[in-house]
Amino acid sequence: MFPPGFAPTSSSVDSPLGSTSTHLSYEDKEKYSTPISSGSHLGKDEHERDDATASTLSTLPTDLPSPRIQQGPRSSRRRRLILALFITGPILLALGVGIPVGLASMKAKQLNAGSAASTKQSNGGSPQSTDSSHPVRPITGGDGSLVTMVDGSTFTYSNKFGGFWTSDPNNPTSDSARPNSWTPPLNQTWDFNTDKIYGVNLGGLFVLEPFISPGLFQKYPGAVDEWTLTTMMAEDTANGGLSQLEHHYDTFITEKDIAEIAGAGLNWVRLPIPFWAIETWPGEPFLAKTSWKYIIRLIGWCRKYGLRVNLDLHTIPGSQNGYNHSGRYGQVNFLHGTMGLANAQRALNYIRIITEFISQPEWRNVVPMFGILNEPLMPTIGINQLQSFYVEVYRIVRSITGYGTGKGPYIGFHEGFSGPDPWAGFMRGADRVVLDMHPYFAFSGGTASDPIATGTGPTAGGVWPGRACQRWDNLFSSSRANYGISVAGEWSNGWNDCGLFLNGVGFAPTFGGSCEDWENSANWDAATKAGLLHFATASMDALDSWFFWTWKIGNSTRGIVESPLWSYQLGLEGGWMPTDPRTAAGTCAALEVSLTPAPTPYPSWMTGGNGTGIPQDVDQLTWPPATILNGGPPGQLPQYTATATPTTLAPPSATGTDGKNLNFGSGWFNAQDTVLAPGPISGCDYPDAWDSTQAATISSACVPQAAQ
């Protein structure tokens, strides 16, 4: 997501700052092809998967509580559940792929061995214990089933779409869950020819943004990004220092949120993560090596409810765009400036480390897509430089995973705020590469004159639903026809840019009207909600495969959500988001806008079908690129050398009911990948990696002899 005061410019600049920038808005690209025919459909025919769903659901318990998410009653049944928790606590750790730190003392071997041995499976996989003194919880459940979380609290799972959760303490990576009847279970292959992504972002969880967690930023006046927030928070030891961030990781999104996402008819989540989940280098104030255990826990919850994860590397050393959600606001020092190449070397290493983890058999079903770089500012970085980086990323990833279906993730490349045109024909023949675009109305300007709280029925929302149909279809039909598989990695209901800190701390909205009502949904009447609902379904229909930004917005110090147009969860509660995303199909046709169908089936190499993936026409895109803008040729720039031991991301640890350790992988998929990680050159006094304006004369000691 990018604010208008920080939008990409039409020419290469040294910094994305500047009030006179010419914004590149998707709406201005009239050259995109005109929609020619309707192509809306619901994805793979539900009947193809109903048999598997019916087989599983027919075995689920029938005497279950009311099918809505709620806290369990404090009854004798609750006391029995709590007792069971103390007996089987480590089983719950395996169910949720729990936090692998600090729980080592919880051992499943405390279970009575005789009871575990006498446990047998019923037809539905729900264990039946013959020992009433040691009750065993169900390992699967559908609509109305009771879910017990690690802390002992319970809620009732609500899913009206045939979805079911699975959580087997002795086989936690079976990947048999599914969120609904029209989405394949995790252990079946996703097919972009027939399956549609109905997804939501979990923004602001592990990469903080002021408008998503305004309360934290309001607590520390002067904090504008995570760099300044963590700096100020670390000094505030009286209030817990950086432990406040870990508390945020632990509580902002819970297992109930993931269950609600599945119950809302969604089937994917996009999960932004920071590079400092792996490590930080000296001078970087971020909370290092702490969020990873919570990232793994969250992926475990997604596995439990059958949700696929698009893991997105949202931050890069030096910043890839200068936005507050890149870690530090201000400059672009990735592939740009004096330290641009060195920062790119670190980024490649982090991409490699994450790829090694998610390509393991234990994780590749639940994380089938990896967005390797969020929103790089291509007008500043340069198209040849960015495409060169993408080709090198592809080489690294596929050298780890191999080629073809099931071998590592789809690789997501963001288009750099350029639209699809520069990417037409890019990397033809590459194995499973997806173009990621983030279409927003809010940051394009010119939105003040047309109201959305107008009209009824098919005219609700005024001109906005029709605009969404036309513009998003033009954008994505062009991309799918000339590039290939394309998804909307972010979009929102923000038809204006109203919202506390939406444009960044200290930046006022550009909306010409009053933002007061748009920052408090309690003021919205039925016409407003109807207009927003129509706008949302039109966007869904035109985008086809998408991730809404974002699931949840935290309260401000006023105790309310002050960016309600950006919260899917609040929209469900308030009635301006559809309770079933499939109902969006046909919205544009009703507005007399014909959507261009996707050019399916896609060539087999796009979906991993032919087992090969050598990209064409990329020989000119060498790594490193011939020059770094505002820096110079690589032979004159500071670099790192392969001298460090690469970090391995830790898998969770848990034991089964027999007390034996469960297998969640080692954290490193390809044992033949033994290349050392980048490290500083001895004797080099490196310039500030986050501030190219302070760069002095480059010492030859900072440039490897081979590069010179």
Side-chain angles (χ1 to χ4, degrees):
M1 191 205 76
F2 61 95
F6 222 27
T9 62
S10 58
S11 60
S12 297
V13 294
D14 292 343
S15 169
L17 294 172
S19 59
T20 60
S21 299
T22 300
H23 297 183
L24 282 177
S25 66
Y26 292 122
E27 295 76 81
D28 293 335
K29 294 189 174 287
E30 300 297 336
K31 57 187 175 181
Y32 297 154
S33 59
T34 303
I36 56 176
S37 63
S38 175
S40 60
H41 59 282
L42 291 181
K44 186 168 288 186
D45 188 342
E46 294 180 25
H47 296 293
E48 297 178 23
R49 293 166 180 160
D50 280 348
D51 291 344
T53 304
S55 174
T56 302
L57 293 180
S58 65
T59 62
L60 299 178
T62 57
D63 55 338
L64 296 170
S66 173
R68 66 183 179 89
I69 294 178
Q70 57 185 357
Q71 294 296 325
R74 297 183 180 274
S75 62
S76 59
R77 179 178 180 181
R78 174 68 177 273
R79 289 192 294 271
R80 289 196 299 272
L81 288 171
I82 294 175
L83 175 61
L85 173 66
F86 284 104
I87 298 173
T88 63
I91 296 178
L92 293 175
L93 177 60
L95 295 184
V97 190
I99 302 174
V101 174
L103 297 178
S105 62
M106 299 175 63
K107 296 295 183 182
K109 63 180 66 177
Q110 295 172 356
L111 288 170
N112 181 282
S115 173
S118 64
T119 299
K120 297 181 179 180
Q121 299 293 329
S122 68
N123 291 335
S126 297
Q128 307 294 323
S129 176
T130 59
D131 184 351
S132 60
S133 65
H134 294 283
V136 180
R137 296 191 182 94
I139 63 172
T140 187
D143 184 43
S145 59
L146 190 69
V147 177
T148 304
M149 296 184 287
V150 174
D151 63 0
S153 61
T154 63
F155 64 88
T156 300
Y157 185 48
S158 176
N159 188 312
K160 307 302 182 183
F161 304 119
F164 56 88
W165 57 267
T166 62
S167 202
D168 187 341
N170 294 313
N171 187 16
T173 59
S174 67
D175 297 335
S176 58
R178 68 192 310 176
N180 45 60
S181 63
W182 58 87
T183 300
L186 295 178
N187 55 16
Q188 294 182 16
T189 302
W190 179 268
D191 186 356
F192 273 103
N193 289 309
T194 52
D195 297 321
K196 290 178 179 289
I197 293 177
Y198 301 145
V200 68
N201 281 271
L202 298 180
L205 173 56
F206 301 119
V207 179
L208 272 68
E209 298 193 33
F211 93 99
I212 298 177
S213 300
L216 282 175
F217 285 84
Q218 288 173 313
K219 185 176 180 179
Y220 295 98
V224 298
D225 51 26
E226 197 154 348
W227 183 291
T228 51
L229 180 68
T230 52
T231 299
M232 300 173 75
M233 192 178 282
E235 298 172 352
D236 184 17
T237 56
N239 286 304
L242 291 180
S243 67
Q244 297 173 87
L245 276 183
E246 186 166 6
H247 178 74
H248 172 82
Y249 299 156
D250 190 29
T251 60
F252 186 67
I253 297 291
T254 68
E255 182 180 344
K256 286 178 64 178
D257 285 291
I258 303 304
E260 289 176 3
I261 289 170
L266 304 173
N267 53 17
W268 281 71
V269 299
R270 181 170 177 261
L271 180 60
I273 64 171
F275 75 81
W276 51 86
I278 302 172
E279 66 179 12
T280 56
W281 281 22
E284 295 172 342
F286 308 113
L287 181 59
K289 303 181 181 181
T290 302
S291 61
W292 179 250
K293 56 181 174 284
Y294 297 98
I295 293 168
I296 286 300
R297 181 180 70 172
L298 189 137
I299 294 174
W301 291 339
C302 291
R303 187 202 303 273
K304 180 174 180 177
Y305 294 95
L307 296 168
R308 287 170 170 80
V309 176
N310 175 6
L311 197 64
D312 188 79
L313 185 56
H314 226 65
T315 71
I316 293 294
S319 177
Q320 72 276 22
N321 52 37
Y323 302 160
N324 59 36
H325 52 73
S326 70
R328 190 175 191 181
Y329 174 88
Q331 299 181 28
V332 176
N333 289 290
F334 162 79
L335 273 182
H336 182 262
T338 304
M339 287 296 288
L341 180 56
N343 284 327
Q345 290 177 309
R346 286 181 64 190
L348 289 170
N349 183 51
Y350 299 145
I351 291 168
R352 167 200 183 195
I353 290 168
I354 295 169
T355 299
E356 287 286 4
F357 188 93
I358 64 177
S359 298
Q360 298 176 104
E362 296 80 9
W363 301 94
R364 62 190 177 202
N365 288 338
V366 69
V367 189
M369 189 181 297
F370 180 19
I372 55 90
L373 178 63
N374 179 65
E375 296 187 346
L377 196 62
M378 194 168 76
T380 297
I381 294 169
I383 183 170
N384 289 335
Q385 288 77 6
L386 185 59
Q387 289 187 342
S388 175
F389 180 79
Y390 282 171
V391 171
E392 180 66 5
V393 166
Y394 178 82
R395 184 195 66 78
I396 290 172
V397 170
R398 291 294 175 239
S399 69
I400 292 170
T401 68
Y403 300 108
T405 300
K407 295 182 178 179
Y410 277 82
I411 304 171
F413 291 152
H414 187 266
E415 42 78 32
F417 303 113
S418 64
D421 286 3
W423 305 96
F426 177 64
M427 291 184 69
R428 304 296 290 178
D431 175 34
R432 291 168 296 145
V433 177
V434 176
L435 194 65
D436 177 18
M437 295 188 286
H438 299 174
Y440 287 116
F441 280 99
F443 306 129
S444 302
T447 61
S449 60
D450 300 309
I452 200 168
T454 183
T456 59
T459 64
V463 301
W464 290 102
R467 284 180 179 172
C469 290
Q470 293 170 346
R471 295 179 182 179
W472 300 160
D473 179 63
N474 287 349
L475 182 71
F476 280 86
S477 64
S478 172
S479 181
R480 290 176 180 130
N482 299 312
Y483 174 83
I485 299 172
S486 306
V487 301
E490 298 180 15
W491 67 280
S492 79
N493 273 340
W495 65 280
N496 59 48
D497 67 340
C498 294
L500 178 63
F501 299 154
L502 179 62
N503 294 314
V505 178
F507 286 88
T510 62
F511 180 53
S514 171
C515 278
E516 181 177 354
D517 286 342
W518 297 109
E519 295 177 352
N520 186 354
S521 60
N523 298 330
W524 296 353
D525 58 16
T528 299
K529 294 180 180 181
L532 290 172
L533 177 62
H534 200 198
F535 179 52
T537 55
S539 297
M540 292 175 176
D541 194 17
L543 294 171
D544 190 72
S545 282
W546 45 264
F547 297 88
F548 185 90
W549 186 276
T550 184
W551 171 249
K552 178 181 179 180
I553 302 291
N555 287 347
S556 69
T557 53
R558 293 174 59 192
I560 63 172
V561 172
E562 292 197 56
S563 296
L565 294 171
W566 297 76
S567 173
Y568 201 110
Q569 182 184 54
L570 192 64
L572 286 175
E573 296 170 357
W576 63 87
M577 292 299 286
T579 56
D580 181 350
R582 295 174 302 167
T583 60
T587 301
C588 293
L591 292 168
E592 299 183 351
V593 178
S594 297
L595 300 180
T596 306
T600 55
Y602 290 107
S604 60
W605 47 266
M606 289 187 184
T607 57
N610 62 5
T612 61
I614 307 302
Q616 304 170 7
D617 302 323
V618 296
D619 291 342
Q620 75 280 11
L621 296 171
T622 58
W623 182 258
T627 187
I628 301 296
L629 297 182
N630 205 38
Q636 300 176 12
L637 296 178
Q639 298 182 39
Y640 302 120
T641 56
T643 55
T645 301
T647 299
T648 298
L649 291 169
S653 61
T655 54
T657 58
D658 58 1
K660 295 181 179 179
N661 291 329
L662 297 170
N663 180 25
F664 292 102
S666 65
W668 200 263
F669 170 66
N670 192 333
Q672 295 180 332
D673 179 9
T674 58
V675 177
L676 293 176
I681 299 174
S682 178
C684 171
D685 184 14
Y686 284 92
D688 189 337
W690 293 81
D691 187 359
S692 62
T693 64
Q694 302 301 316
T697 302
I698 305 304
S699 168
S700 60
C702 299
V703 184
Q705 289 298 317
Q708 296 181 42

